[in-house]
Amino acid sequence: MIWVKGLPFKIAFFMWKVWKEKLPLDDFLKRIGYCMPSKCWCCVQPDEESLQHLFFRSETAKTTWKYFISRAGIDVEGLTLHQAITKCWTANVCLRLKPALVKVRKPGMDMVPHKWQDLLAMMENFTPKLKVTKVMWEFPSAGWLKVNTDGASRGNPGRSSIGFCIRNEKGDIVKSVGKEIEETTNTVAEAKAMVEALRFCRSHQFSHVEEMMQLMNGSNYKVTHIHREGNKLADHLANYALDYGEIECQQFCHLDAQGRRCNYDAYGNPCCNF
């Protein structure tokens, strides 16, 4: 139960020292011949700084044990630390805890066992089904422009920015913009990016685009979702605005080096979304 695959070594090693009573506490030092006054400085009513006191008998330890163990129906009254740990390890998994624990760590696992040992072994050997989606930036139809937008918020809410890029049927950049806006949330930043892009299109009389609210009234438009892997340039512009300041480009050659790499999706290079 200590040397569990995936558990950081420092935690496993600490647990091993607790189980073997090897922590350098006063009771351990006494056993190897170093006798000294002992007092636990963490308690209002101090006791000897021993393993049993720190991890089992102190008020803090009792509160922690009671909070977790009572929900599993385990009574630790009259037990030692080692006996309590063993009882927890051999008890059935709390029915209210088991579904939540498994679904968070291993979604899709069926037939979950009731013993901690069996549950841990099953989770270690479980191989999830990996779903891979190929994401590609698709060229707009002839005579159309494609607008990719993105909004960013550091802190949500916090410092925020928007980015959008407009490309024609050949994948050439018509306009790309990244700029910081007022502090807001991710959702608001995403919406503002769409509005800003649509306003730019209307101001330049791109015939297929109107204001967002007007789009809902039967205008000639198409709004679709795309994974981040297919929206790299707009994502880069939004984050560039937060890191370095406003950016505005009319052509591919005006983009920064990272932006030019992000625009490679316009050449039909696929990405994978896991």
Side-chain angles (χ1 to χ4, degrees), residues 151-172:
S153 177
R154 303 271 175 86
N156 195 31
R159 285 187 61 211
S160 302
S161 63
I162 63 170
F164 68 85
C165 58
I166 304 174
R167 287 176 279 200
N168 60 22
E169 60 194 69
K170 297 180 180 179
D172 295 332

